[in-house]
Amino acid sequence: MTFVTKLSFASGDRDVLTETVQELKRTLERKGAECKGPHAPPAETVRVPLYKNLRAGDEFPPWSYRVYKRTMEIHGADDAARDVVARDFPDSIHVEVEIDRKKPLGHRRE
């Protein structure tokens, strides 16, 4: 069985995010791991309402910021994926890891 490690990155700092993900991809390629991505969906704008008082209706203009995301997949290469997951990423980047188990084509369920 092959394991697929899915990595999701999110940050408000696009430059740090891009550099971190590109460095990670170069490292994985040097180790010979099959890596798909990084994929970059459109940035998301988050708006946060700010109230002058505790009651609704008296507000400041909302605070807004952009969240940039990248996704990658590592196929097989369990050692390389384990090294990536154990890595220290900058505090400005939120990282989520999901591991899926893929069965070969033609595999029958028992």
Side-chain angles (χ1 to χ4, degrees), residues 44-68:
E44 178 183 337
T45 300
V46 178
R47 293 189 191 335
V48 180
L50 300 174
Y51 298 101
K52 293 180 181 180
N53 297 312
L54 294 177
R55 63 186 187 284
D58 199 12
E59 300 179 8
F60 290 109
W63 175 55
S64 65
Y65 61 97
R66 296 180 67 78
V67 176
Y68 302 94

Short mmCIF file of all heavy atoms in Angstrom, two decimals, residues 44-68:
data_model
loop_
_atom_site.label_atom_id
_atom_site.label_comp_id
_atom_site.label_asym_id
_atom_site.label_seq_id
_atom_site.Cartn_x
_atom_site.Cartn_y
_atom_site.Cartn_z
N GLU A 44 -8.11 34.25 0.03
CA GLU A 44 -9.40 34.49 0.67
C GLU A 44 -9.30 35.76 1.52
O GLU A 44 -8.34 35.94 2.26
CB GLU A 44 -9.73 33.30 1.56
CG GLU A 44 -11.00 33.40 2.33
CD GLU A 44 -11.20 32.18 3.23
OE1 GLU A 44 -10.63 31.12 2.96
OE2 GLU A 44 -11.93 32.34 4.22
N THR A 45 -10.27 36.64 1.40
CA THR A 45 -10.30 37.84 2.22
C THR A 45 -11.22 37.59 3.42
O THR A 45 -12.36 37.19 3.25
CB THR A 45 -10.81 39.05 1.42
OG1 THR A 45 -9.92 39.26 0.32
CG2 THR A 45 -10.85 40.30 2.28
N VAL A 46 -10.69 37.79 4.60
CA VAL A 46 -11.43 37.59 5.83
C VAL A 46 -11.74 38.97 6.42
O VAL A 46 -10.85 39.81 6.53
CB VAL A 46 -10.62 36.74 6.84
CG1 VAL A 46 -11.38 36.57 8.13
CG2 VAL A 46 -10.27 35.40 6.23
N ARG A 47 -13.00 39.18 6.78
CA ARG A 47 -13.40 40.45 7.39
C ARG A 47 -13.86 40.20 8.82
O ARG A 47 -14.65 39.29 9.08
CB ARG A 47 -14.54 41.08 6.60
CG ARG A 47 -14.12 41.52 5.22
CD ARG A 47 -15.19 42.33 4.55
NE ARG A 47 -15.10 42.66 3.16
CZ ARG A 47 -14.06 42.76 2.38
NH1 ARG A 47 -12.90 42.51 2.84
NH2 ARG A 47 -14.14 43.09 1.12
N VAL A 48 -13.37 41.04 9.71
CA VAL A 48 -13.70 40.90 11.14
C VAL A 48 -14.38 42.18 11.59
O VAL A 48 -13.80 43.26 11.50
CB VAL A 48 -12.42 40.66 11.98
CG1 VAL A 48 -12.76 40.52 13.44
CG2 VAL A 48 -11.65 39.45 11.47
N PRO A 49 -15.63 42.08 12.07
CA PRO A 49 -16.32 43.30 12.52
C PRO A 49 -15.70 43.82 13.83
O PRO A 49 -15.26 43.04 14.67
CB PRO A 49 -17.76 42.84 12.75
CG PRO A 49 -17.68 41.38 12.96
CD PRO A 49 -16.48 40.90 12.19
N LEU A 50 -15.64 45.13 13.96
CA LEU A 50 -15.11 45.77 15.16
C LEU A 50 -16.19 46.68 15.73
O LEU A 50 -16.69 47.58 15.05
CB LEU A 50 -13.86 46.59 14.84
CG LEU A 50 -12.69 45.82 14.24
CD1 LEU A 50 -11.59 46.78 13.83
CD2 LEU A 50 -12.16 44.82 15.24
N TYR A 51 -16.57 46.45 16.96
CA TYR A 51 -17.64 47.22 17.60
C TYR A 51 -17.05 48.24 18.57
O TYR A 51 -16.09 47.96 19.29
CB TYR A 51 -18.58 46.28 18.36
CG TYR A 51 -19.27 45.29 17.45
CD1 TYR A 51 -18.84 43.99 17.35
CD2 TYR A 51 -20.36 45.70 16.67
CE1 TYR A 51 -19.46 43.09 16.49
CE2 TYR A 51 -20.99 44.81 15.82
CZ TYR A 51 -20.54 43.51 15.73
OH TYR A 51 -21.15 42.63 14.89
N LYS A 52 -17.65 49.43 18.59
CA LYS A 52 -17.21 50.47 19.51
C LYS A 52 -17.68 50.18 20.93
O LYS A 52 -17.01 50.54 21.89
CB LYS A 52 -17.75 51.84 19.06
CG LYS A 52 -17.16 52.31 17.76
CD LYS A 52 -17.71 53.66 17.36
CE LYS A 52 -17.13 54.10 16.03
NZ LYS A 52 -17.65 55.40 15.62
N ASN A 53 -18.83 49.54 21.05
CA ASN A 53 -19.40 49.18 22.35
C ASN A 53 -19.77 47.70 22.32
O ASN A 53 -19.60 47.02 21.31
CB ASN A 53 -20.65 50.02 22.63
CG ASN A 53 -20.32 51.49 22.74
OD1 ASN A 53 -19.39 51.86 23.43
ND2 ASN A 53 -21.10 52.32 22.04
N LEU A 54 -20.33 47.24 23.41
CA LEU A 54 -20.72 45.84 23.49
C LEU A 54 -22.04 45.54 22.77
O LEU A 54 -22.40 44.39 22.61
CB LEU A 54 -20.83 45.39 24.95
CG LEU A 54 -19.51 45.39 25.72
CD1 LEU A 54 -19.75 45.02 27.17
CD2 LEU A 54 -18.53 44.43 25.08
N ARG A 55 -22.73 46.55 22.34
CA ARG A 55 -23.99 46.29 21.63
C ARG A 55 -23.78 46.51 20.12
O ARG A 55 -22.95 47.32 19.71
CB ARG A 55 -25.11 47.19 22.16
CG ARG A 55 -24.89 48.66 21.97
CD ARG A 55 -26.01 49.46 22.66
NE ARG A 55 -25.92 50.86 22.36
CZ ARG A 55 -25.05 51.71 22.88
NH1 ARG A 55 -24.15 51.28 23.73
NH2 ARG A 55 -25.08 52.98 22.57
N ALA A 56 -24.54 45.78 19.35
CA ALA A 56 -24.42 45.86 17.90
C ALA A 56 -24.95 47.20 17.39
O ALA A 56 -25.78 47.84 18.03
CB ALA A 56 -25.20 44.72 17.26
N GLY A 57 -24.46 47.61 16.24
CA GLY A 57 -24.96 48.82 15.61
C GLY A 57 -23.94 49.95 15.61
O GLY A 57 -23.92 50.75 14.70
N ASP A 58 -23.10 50.03 16.61
CA ASP A 58 -22.10 51.09 16.70
C ASP A 58 -20.75 50.45 16.37
O ASP A 58 -20.08 49.90 17.23
CB ASP A 58 -22.11 51.68 18.11
CG ASP A 58 -21.45 53.05 18.16
OD1 ASP A 58 -21.20 53.62 17.08
OD2 ASP A 58 -21.20 53.53 19.27
N GLU A 59 -20.33 50.54 15.09
CA GLU A 59 -19.18 49.79 14.62
C GLU A 59 -18.11 50.68 14.00
O GLU A 59 -18.40 51.73 13.45
CB GLU A 59 -19.60 48.77 13.56
CG GLU A 59 -20.60 47.76 14.01
CD GLU A 59 -20.99 46.81 12.88
OE1 GLU A 59 -20.37 46.85 11.80
OE2 GLU A 59 -21.91 46.02 13.09
N PHE A 60 -16.88 50.21 14.09
CA PHE A 60 -15.79 50.75 13.30
C PHE A 60 -15.84 50.04 11.95
O PHE A 60 -16.49 49.00 11.82
CB PHE A 60 -14.44 50.45 13.97
CG PHE A 60 -14.19 51.22 15.23
CD1 PHE A 60 -14.19 50.57 16.46
CD2 PHE A 60 -13.93 52.58 15.20
CE1 PHE A 60 -13.95 51.25 17.62
CE2 PHE A 60 -13.68 53.28 16.37
CZ PHE A 60 -13.68 52.61 17.59
N PRO A 61 -15.12 50.55 10.97
CA PRO A 61 -15.04 49.78 9.71
C PRO A 61 -14.41 48.40 10.01
O PRO A 61 -13.54 48.28 10.87
CB PRO A 61 -14.11 50.62 8.83
CG PRO A 61 -14.18 51.99 9.40
CD PRO A 61 -14.44 51.82 10.87
N PRO A 62 -14.85 47.37 9.32
CA PRO A 62 -14.31 46.03 9.61
C PRO A 62 -12.83 45.94 9.28
O PRO A 62 -12.33 46.61 8.37
CB PRO A 62 -15.13 45.09 8.73
CG PRO A 62 -15.72 45.96 7.68
CD PRO A 62 -15.82 47.34 8.24
N TRP A 63 -12.15 45.12 10.05
CA TRP A 63 -10.74 44.83 9.81
C TRP A 63 -10.71 43.69 8.82
O TRP A 63 -11.42 42.69 8.96
CB TRP A 63 -10.07 44.44 11.12
CG TRP A 63 -8.65 44.00 10.99
CD1 TRP A 63 -7.63 44.68 10.42
CD2 TRP A 63 -8.10 42.78 11.47
NE1 TRP A 63 -6.47 43.97 10.51
CE2 TRP A 63 -6.74 42.78 11.16
CE3 TRP A 63 -8.62 41.67 12.13
CZ2 TRP A 63 -5.89 41.74 11.47
CZ3 TRP A 63 -7.77 40.63 12.45
CH2 TRP A 63 -6.43 40.68 12.13
N SER A 64 -9.93 43.80 7.75
CA SER A 64 -9.86 42.72 6.77
C SER A 64 -8.41 42.37 6.49
O SER A 64 -7.51 43.22 6.60
CB SER A 64 -10.58 43.11 5.48
OG SER A 64 -9.92 44.19 4.86
N TYR A 65 -8.21 41.12 6.17
CA TYR A 65 -6.88 40.64 5.81
C TYR A 65 -7.03 39.49 4.83
O TYR A 65 -8.07 38.87 4.72
CB TYR A 65 -6.07 40.23 7.06
CG TYR A 65 -6.68 39.10 7.86
CD1 TYR A 65 -6.26 37.80 7.68
CD2 TYR A 65 -7.66 39.36 8.81
CE1 TYR A 65 -6.81 36.77 8.42
CE2 TYR A 65 -8.22 38.34 9.56
CZ TYR A 65 -7.78 37.05 9.35
OH TYR A 65 -8.34 36.04 10.08
N ARG A 66 -5.95 39.20 4.11
CA ARG A 66 -5.97 38.14 3.11
C ARG A 66 -5.25 36.91 3.64
O ARG A 66 -4.21 37.02 4.29
CB ARG A 66 -5.33 38.62 1.81
CG ARG A 66 -6.15 39.77 1.21
CD ARG A 66 -5.59 40.30 -0.07
NE ARG A 66 -5.64 39.40 -1.20
CZ ARG A 66 -6.71 39.13 -1.95
NH1 ARG A 66 -7.86 39.67 -1.62
NH2 ARG A 66 -6.64 38.35 -2.99
N VAL A 67 -5.81 35.75 3.35
CA VAL A 67 -5.21 34.48 3.73
C VAL A 67 -4.82 33.76 2.44
O VAL A 67 -5.66 33.54 1.56
CB VAL A 67 -6.19 33.61 4.56
CG1 VAL A 67 -5.57 32.26 4.87
CG2 VAL A 67 -6.58 34.33 5.83
N TYR A 68 -3.54 33.42 2.34
CA TYR A 68 -3.01 32.72 1.17
C TYR A 68 -2.84 31.25 1.54
O TYR A 68 -2.43 30.92 2.65
CB TYR A 68 -1.67 33.33 0.76
CG TYR A 68 -1.78 34.80 0.46
CD1 TYR A 68 -1.51 35.74 1.44
CD2 TYR A 68 -2.20 35.23 -0.79
CE1 TYR A 68 -1.65 37.09 1.18
CE2 TYR A 68 -2.33 36.58 -1.06
CZ TYR A 68 -2.05 37.51 -0.07
OH TYR A 68 -2.19 38.85 -0.33
#
